[in-house]
Amino acid sequence: MYKINENYLKLPGSYLFATTGRKIREFIEANPDKKVISLGIGDVTLPLAPVVIDTLHSAVDEMGKAETFKGYAPDLGYEFLRQAIVDNDYKARGADISIDEVFVSDGAKSDSGNIGDIFDADNKIAVCDPVYPVYVDTNAMAGRTGVYLEEQQKWSNVVYMPCTAATDFAPEIPKEEPDIIYLCFPNNPTGSTIKKEELQAWVDYALKIGAVIIYDAAYEAYISEGDVPHTIFECEGAKACAIELKSFSKNAGFTGTRLGYAVVPKELKCNGVSLNSLWARRHGTKFNGAPYIIQRAGAAVYTPEGKKQTLNQVNYYMNNAKIIREGLAEAGYIVSGGVNAPYIWLQTPDKMTSWEFFDYLLEKANVAGTPGSGFGPSGEGYFRLTAFGSYENTLEAVERIRKM
Ligand SMILES: *Cc1c(COP(=O)(O)O)cnc(C)c1O
């Protein structure tokens, strides 16, 4: 008789987007005359940049000719893409990463879930609270998180690092020592960032206690302030304690096209064993590469036109972020984020819970967002709005919120 992975049974239901979706549908059915604007989605809306589309077309044509047809991609990804990544995302930032430290993948969600394969079940993870749920749930599936404590909405064997107004939405060094530390900056859901010296303190801490940092830099392209690090490898010593995950989803709109990469430095070793070679083994065994046409499209993002066109998209979203942030602040809300990230994090007014504010906003302004408590217990009393809507809808949504 076979047995299932019972860790899956310990997972609490993922109610957040199922519940917001249901509530929005029910509201629309009951109020067919009202136009609901969603600022809840964590997905891009602008179409792919023209140079990306042109490159996709020509790469498809290559696949149709015997002389240029491509089969399986190289294990780590095509060199033309890995070289562009190294030159633009690392060398240009003073970070010395070589191309055999870059592993092209189908996105940062897969990588952040799969990276756990190379770590023992007996590791204690630390996460920010609130947090992108993938880090915790994938560790729960691997049996690393203990039991779920319904009452506290926490796992018994996870170190939670509260990120609230009291900590300026940044994690503090935890009292209990973790083995694997997940950090994501610019942050989803809070939109916060930390300065380079603050990230350096995390690197120093990880080196001191022998922990590894999994650094999710999916929103790097949204950084607008000068002292915010673009990669953890700007920090001294990071190559001996950190893995970085990147994505083409938020900077270039590849959410439906799928492309990302992980950087696992060769210096990163556990008792003399190189994590780079473990990840190479895992990648080569369980993954057969992102499609050639998509890797070509990804390389197009690094061309001069690609940079210009994708920057225009990021600027479009960041203009929305500014409209939301400034509009809500003028209306008396306490808001953060939206400066180096496409997310605005606001404190619910009048001590409303996150879900009460969700209902209130939907009823009164016909605007949908995401309750902060859905991202973790320290998200209670907060609410996330995203800048990924259209300019027109964003303006109207803010106008309606102001009139509430
Ligand atoms: C959107 C997002 C990603 C990107 O995931 P992909 O699988 O590359 O689309 C990664 N991390 C966070 C925190 C995100 O919000």
Side-chain angles (χ1 to χ4, degrees):
M1 174 75 183
Y2 64 87
K3 297 185 182 70
I4 56 157
N5 178 350
E6 296 209 352
N7 293 319
Y8 280 64
L9 307 181
K10 299 182 199 160
L11 290 165
S14 93
Y15 295 119
L16 181 60
F17 290 102
T19 309
T20 55
R22 178 178 53 77
K23 281 178 175 259
I24 294 165
R25 268 195 315 278
E26 285 171 2
F27 181 83
I28 292 171
E29 274 163 30
N31 303 274
D33 54 315
K34 304 245 167 79
K35 182 189 151 210
V36 172
I37 297 176
S38 174
L39 299 183
I41 38 159
D43 194 356
V44 295
T45 52
L46 292 173
L48 291 170
V51 66
V52 170
I53 292 297
D54 288 346
T55 307
L56 282 168
H57 280 301
S58 55
V60 167
D61 288 340
E62 283 182 67
M63 295 301 256
K65 293 190 204 93
E67 313 83 70
T68 48
F69 168 77
K70 301 284 187 302
Y72 290 125
D75 271 359
L76 270 62
Y78 283 99
E79 217 170 294
F80 62 77
L81 177 58
R82 287 186 294 132
Q83 193 63 56
I85 289 167
V86 162
D87 292 344
N88 292 279
D89 292 344
Y90 295 99
K91 292 240 158 72
R93 309 220 174 267
D96 178 25
I97 294 296
S98 63
I99 81 163
D100 50 358
E101 296 174 313
V102 177
F103 298 78
V104 173
S105 73
D106 63 349
K109 187 183 203 171
S110 329
D111 280 344
S112 60
N114 292 333
I115 198 72
D117 270 22
I118 63 169
F119 297 105
D120 192 89
D122 184 22
N123 275 295
K124 182 164 264 193
I125 68 159
V127 294
C128 293
D129 172 22
V131 71
Y132 180 59
V134 178
Y135 316 143
V136 180
D137 288 1
T138 55
N139 276 288
M141 290 168 179
R144 223 172 263 131
T145 55
V147 292
Y148 190 69
L149 310 166
E150 199 74 50
E151 197 90 315
Q152 302 175 38
Q153 297 172 54
K154 285 180 177 176
W155 291 89
S156 61
N157 195 38
V158 171
V159 177
Y160 290 88
M161 304 182 289
C163 298
T164 62
T167 68
D168 206 11
F169 303 102
E172 289 177 343
I173 302 284
K175 288 190 190 76
E176 194 184 350
E177 268 186 20
D179 305 302
I180 303 173
I181 302 164
Y182 287 82
L183 296 177
C184 171
F185 291 107
N187 189 263
N188 175 15
T190 68
S192 68
T193 46
I194 57 176
K195 294 184 166 58
K196 185 171 163 188
E197 73 214 39
E198 295 170 301
L199 186 57
Q200 182 66 55
W202 280 99
V203 168
D204 295 344
Y205 171 70
L207 289 170
K208 191 180 93 191
I209 66 165
V212 61
I213 297 174
I214 312 290
Y215 194 72
D216 184 341
Y219 294 95
E220 175 272 325
Y222 291 83
I223 294 170
S224 69
E225 292 180 318
D227 50 0
V228 177
H230 287 255
T231 157
I232 194 167
F233 300 116
E234 285 176 38
C235 295
E236 217 170 296
K239 284 205 284 182
C241 69
I243 291 172
E244 181 160 282
L245 309 180
K246 287 284 299 271
S247 168
F248 288 75
S249 286
K250 311 301 170 20
N251 64 324
F254 277 48
T255 52
T257 312
R258 310 306 308 141
L259 193 65
Y261 66 86
V263 175
V264 187
K266 284 181 280 187
E267 258 177 60
L268 181 58
K269 291 193 174 133
C270 181
N271 292 327
V273 179
S274 151
L275 272 64
N276 178 284
S277 48
L278 292 186
W279 188 242
R281 190 63 195 263
R282 195 269 169 210
H283 210 61
T285 303
K286 291 202 190 179
F287 184 61
N288 243 340
Y292 170 72
I293 57 173
I294 308 299
Q295 295 197 45
R296 272 285 174 217
V301 172
Y302 294 104
T303 61
E305 313 95 282
K307 284 181 186 172
K308 199 167 126 221
Q309 292 170 7
T310 53
L311 180 66
N312 281 342
Q313 300 184 330
V314 167
N315 287 342
Y316 176 90
Y317 295 132
M318 289 311 281
N319 184 50
N320 289 346
K322 185 167 186 271
I323 290 167
I324 301 172
R325 186 168 45 83
E326 291 179 355
L328 266 58
E330 275 167 32
Y333 287 89
I334 300 170
V335 290
S336 59
V339 177
N340 298 297
Y343 296 114
I344 287 85
W345 191 242
L346 59 104
Q347 280 181 42
T348 59
D350 306 325
K351 297 211 159 59
M352 273 189 232
T353 67
S354 298
W355 279 107
E356 282 166 356
F357 187 70
F358 175 88
D359 292 333
Y360 177 77
L361 198 66
L362 188 57
E363 286 282 332
K364 294 282 187 304
N366 312 145
V367 171
T370 311
S373 56
F375 299 99
S378 294
E380 183 57 274
Y382 292 94
F383 200 76
R384 190 188 77 172
L385 295 173
T386 88
F388 287 132
S390 71
Y391 168 72
E392 294 76 16
N393 278 348
T394 303
L395 268 188
E396 189 178 336
V398 171
E399 215 29 60
R400 290 188 200 166
I401 296 172
R402 293 177 65 143
K403 286 199 197 117
M404 252 180 2

